[in-house]
Amino acid sequence: MDGVIGFEDGDVASLISSPEGKPTIDIGKQIFCNSAVNMKNIVAVGFDMDYTLAQYKPDTFESLAYDGTIEKLVTNLGYPKELLEWSFDWTYMVRGLVLDKKRGNVLKMDRHKYVKVAYHGFRLISKNEKVATYGNTFTRDAFDGPDYAHIDTLFSLAEAYLFAQLVDFKDSNPEKMSEVKDYYCIYTDVRSAIDMCHRDGSLKEMVAKDPKKYINKDNSIVPMLKMLKTSGRAVFMVTNSLWDYTNVVMNFVFGARTMDGDSSLSLDWLQHFDFVITGSAKPGFFHDENRANIFMVETDSGKLVNTDNGTPLAQVGSPALELPNQIPNKHCKVFQGGNVGHLHKLLNVGSSSQVLYVGDHIYGDILRSKKVLGWRTMLIVPELEKEARVLSSSRETRKRLQLLRSERDQIEDQTHHLKWSLEHGNLDAGEREKLTSNLEVLQVQGARVRASHQESQKSFHQKFHPVWGQLMKTGYQNSRFAHQVERFACLYTSQVGNLGLYPPAKYYRPGEDLMAHESDVLTK
């Protein structure tokens, strides 16, 4: 993940100005469509910052969050000091997992919420134990509510890994963990420690001191934003980060500056945006009934303009709709707080469907903006670049899996037919002996094909991830994460800059939805 990603202005220009016909775009950088988006109808494009415009390096940034959480657990919450010797494997956890807080389990499930892979800490749970725990009741568990935590953002990977470590530690060292500290309490402590790290600003302070250590440089962002602006779209950013941190991060993203005091920071990056809203408190920001006031930010000092010595001033009239008076005549305007009603007024859009919002958080960015507002949405899935390339290079493996699965089905059908004939058929001794012999051959053959299929499928999934397999699949079913992407993201892609590889007026159209009976007919 280290180093420079993306492309230069010339690369974008050559792609979007290519002759009639689709330019060749690497599979890992393509934009995939779930729901039609006609860019001709989009008048405003908005972006989240963290893990969208600013792609953090998981090996350094997530380790920073992990180390900070460990320190808080030991110093503030009384956990054993030996935790300070632990290390974080940033490659182990993936998005889309669910933590069972009460049982200490980490789950991966399919789109129907059937648990397909389960670990207790780092111990693989057997199929029988898994079924007994999660599949042996008359009422299906929705896996929502206070007993479960969803790992849906890259920010949450350290949290999941530390939870699994502490579950193993408690099981192996009961004498070192208070009996009061059950698995649920352990998760609550981890969550509290993470919140402490965010509240005291220690994580962002470390990033601000050395952005290049924690954030990837991406050369694709500036040309992409230039393309959008040149095509006449309004461009905005809505981030939960406050102005001081936002300014540091965006300085690095746009100019690779380091923070050697405030004098090294520039406001040049603001030219690429019409509006920037910091401290937005998403997902609450997307609710129009949220009565949060909106304040102007004085970009040089970071002070809120319409306040009284730092105390927010109530706005005249409806605080959900009124904008601050005397907005300076600047090309870009920076605000803090507010809600989507303020943003719509700033953008002067006539319909929510004219807005495309790009973010990385399925709940904080995508679900609310699409479901509540009707915005068009694009989800950034950095893991998709590897996922798509592995999938593309595994065509022959997939064909072999399909053949093995078809062979299993045929053998199972023949086996059931022979068993039925032996149990219910009016057979003489010779016929019975012949069918019995054929059944034995089929059963041996079936066991061989089944073992080969299971091993091939396991090997295929391990190409994507050695523990959790393919991000978007659990076996042959879409994963829970893939189901969310399909439901709430109109578009999805690996990097925000990929938007610049396509014409600004492109009509993104989804593929045809196929039901099982259609797929069997139309794909053969």
Side-chain angles (χ1 to χ4, degrees):
M1 294 294 291
D2 198 2
V4 178
I5 58 178
F7 36 79
E8 304 294 342
D9 284 292
D11 299 321
V12 176
S14 64
L15 282 164
I16 64 175
S17 62
S18 60
E20 188 75 22
K22 182 180 178 181
T24 301
I25 299 176
D26 181 273
I27 184 69
K29 295 186 180 297
Q30 289 181 19
I31 294 175
F32 303 96
C33 180
N34 292 318
S35 180
V37 176
N38 187 350
M39 289 298 291
K40 287 182 179 179
N41 299 329
I42 299 298
V43 301
V45 182
F47 299 90
D48 179 36
M49 184 178 76
D50 298 313
Y51 272 118
T52 301
L53 289 171
Q55 278 296 328
Y56 292 92
K57 300 175 182 179
D59 54 334
T60 55
F61 182 75
E62 295 303 327
S63 294
L64 182 66
Y66 172 89
D67 292 341
T69 304
I70 288 276
E71 193 273 332
K72 300 295 184 187
L73 284 172
V74 173
T75 304
N76 296 70
L77 298 174
Y79 277 71
K81 290 185 178 180
E82 59 197 272
L83 269 64
L84 296 171
E85 301 172 4
W86 288 4
S87 60
F88 174 49
D89 181 0
W90 63 271
T91 66
Y92 185 89
M93 294 295 179
V94 298
R95 280 202 282 182
L97 302 177
V98 175
L99 305 185
D100 183 339
K101 303 177 192 177
K102 291 180 68 174
R103 300 183 179 94
N105 297 341
V106 187
L107 316 174
K108 184 180 181 184
M109 58 189 69
D110 67 16
R111 65 190 181 97
H112 303 293
K113 296 186 178 180
Y114 286 105
V115 177
K116 294 301 182 81
V117 184
Y119 281 81
H120 178 74
F122 294 108
R123 175 182 66 81
L124 180 64
I125 296 176
S126 69
K127 182 178 180 179
N128 290 338
E129 184 182 352
K130 182 179 65 182
V131 172
T133 305
Y134 298 107
N136 201 26
T137 60
F138 288 109
T139 304
R140 286 289 314 285
D141 195 330
F143 298 100
D144 293 319
D147 291 342
Y148 299 97
H150 297 170
I151 307 304
D152 291 316
T153 73
L154 293 171
F155 283 117
S156 301
L157 300 185
E159 167 189 326
Y161 189 79
L162 182 52
F163 177 66
Q165 280 184 302
L166 287 168
V167 167
D168 273 7
F169 183 78
K170 175 178 172 60
D171 292 348
S172 303
N173 306 276
E175 74 284 356
K176 296 182 180 180
M177 294 283 284
S178 167
E179 292 183 3
V180 178
K181 300 284 188 186
D182 59 13
Y183 302 130
Y184 193 102
C185 183
I186 287 173
Y187 174 81
T188 302
D189 287 345
V190 169
R191 187 65 255 171
S192 297
I194 291 172
D195 290 341
M196 289 179 202
C197 291
H198 286 290
R199 281 199 303 271
D200 67 15
S202 56
L203 293 182
K204 291 186 175 181
E205 183 179 350
M206 292 295 291
V207 175
K209 285 180 179 178
D210 190 8
K212 65 180 180 297
K213 181 177 180 181
Y214 301 103
I215 305 173
N216 281 308
K217 184 71 178 73
D218 187 348
N219 290 330
S220 69
I221 291 176
V222 171
M224 179 270 294
L225 293 176
K226 285 181 178 178
M227 183 194 76
L228 290 175
K229 294 278 284 182
T230 303
S231 67
R233 271 79 175 180
V235 178
F236 66 93
M237 180 169 70
V238 178
T239 175
N240 285 352
S241 295
L242 297 178
W243 167 249
D244 55 349
Y245 183 73
T246 298
N247 193 26
V248 171
V249 171
M250 297 308 283
N251 262 267
F252 176 78
V253 169
F254 285 86
R257 293 173 179 266
T258 57
M259 188 176 180
D260 300 316
D262 291 343
S263 59
S264 68
L265 297 178
S266 166
L267 298 177
D268 292 347
W269 64 271
L270 287 172
Q271 67 184 290
H272 300 292
F273 298 91
D274 292 280
F275 301 103
V276 171
I277 296 181
T278 62
S280 62
K282 293 178 295 181
F285 177 86
F286 293 121
H287 286 280
D288 202 20
E289 65 271 15
N290 171 22
R291 311 304 282 183
N293 288 336
I294 188 168
F295 303 101
M296 285 180 47
V297 176
E298 187 179 88
T299 53
D300 291 330
S301 67
K303 293 180 180 179
L304 302 183
V305 175
N306 45 329
T307 64
D308 179 15
N309 294 324
T311 303
L313 293 176
Q315 297 168 30
V316 178
S318 170
L321 294 175
E322 292 297 318
L323 293 174
N325 294 325
Q326 298 178 342
I327 295 177
N329 184 21
K330 293 183 180 179
H331 183 65
C332 177
K333 306 169 184 69
V334 181
F335 299 91
Q336 178 173 308
N339 67 18
V340 71
H342 295 113
L343 179 60
H344 280 169
K345 192 170 182 180
L346 287 167
L347 294 172
N348 195 28
V349 294
S351 168
S352 287
S353 63
Q354 294 177 307
V355 180
L356 172 68
Y357 188 66
V358 186
D360 72 290
H361 195 316
I362 197 74
Y363 285 110
D365 293 320
I366 302 303
L367 186 152
R368 295 291 179 89
S369 57
K370 180 176 182 178
K371 195 172 181 180
V372 176
L373 300 176
W375 284 1
R376 298 296 185 257
T377 55
M378 176 185 282
L379 181 69
I380 301 303
V381 187
E383 310 97 309
L384 187 64
E385 187 160 353
K386 176 188 174 183
E387 182 110 344
R389 286 174 178 163
V390 172
L391 196 62
S392 179
S393 65
S394 304
R395 289 189 177 92
E396 294 305 316
T397 303
R398 284 177 55 82
K399 288 179 182 178
R400 171 173 165 76
L401 282 170
Q402 290 169 352
L403 289 173
L404 285 170
R405 192 182 191 195
S406 177
E407 190 176 356
R408 279 186 69 177
D409 289 342
Q410 292 176 9
I411 291 173
E412 287 172 1
D413 289 345
Q414 293 173 22
T415 300
H416 290 312
H417 177 73
L418 287 178
K419 286 182 176 180
W420 180 267
S421 297
L422 286 168
E423 291 175 7
H424 303 283
N426 186 16
L427 307 173
D428 59 31
E431 291 173 325
R432 183 171 295 278
E433 182 179 354
K434 182 179 179 180
L435 290 184
T436 300
S437 177
N438 290 343
L439 178 61
E440 291 173 352
V441 171
L442 274 177
Q443 288 174 329
V444 171
Q445 185 181 0
R448 175 182 58 77
V449 173
R450 183 170 60 253
S452 178
H453 180 235
Q454 290 174 343
E455 186 59 35
S456 296
Q457 191 175 38
K458 179 181 178 181
S459 177
F460 173 66
H461 279 282
Q462 286 178 337
K463 289 183 178 181
F464 297 90
H465 192 279
V467 178
W468 304 105
Q470 196 172 348
L471 179 69
M472 299 292 188
K473 284 282 187 291
T474 51
Y476 285 95
Q477 293 287 309
N478 282 352
S479 65
R480 172 185 166 275
F481 182 72
H483 183 53
Q484 293 171 330
V485 173
E486 192 173 38
R487 287 181 66 195
F488 302 119
C490 301
L491 308 172
Y492 63 103
T493 190
S494 61
Q495 297 173 23
V496 68
N498 297 343
L499 191 59
L501 294 173
Y502 293 81
K506 180 175 175 58
Y507 197 147
Y508 295 93
R509 295 180 175 90
E512 181 182 4
D513 287 342
L514 295 178
M515 293 189 67
H517 70 284
E518 297 173 305
S519 179
D520 286 345
V521 173
L522 298 177
T523 60
K524 289 182 180 178

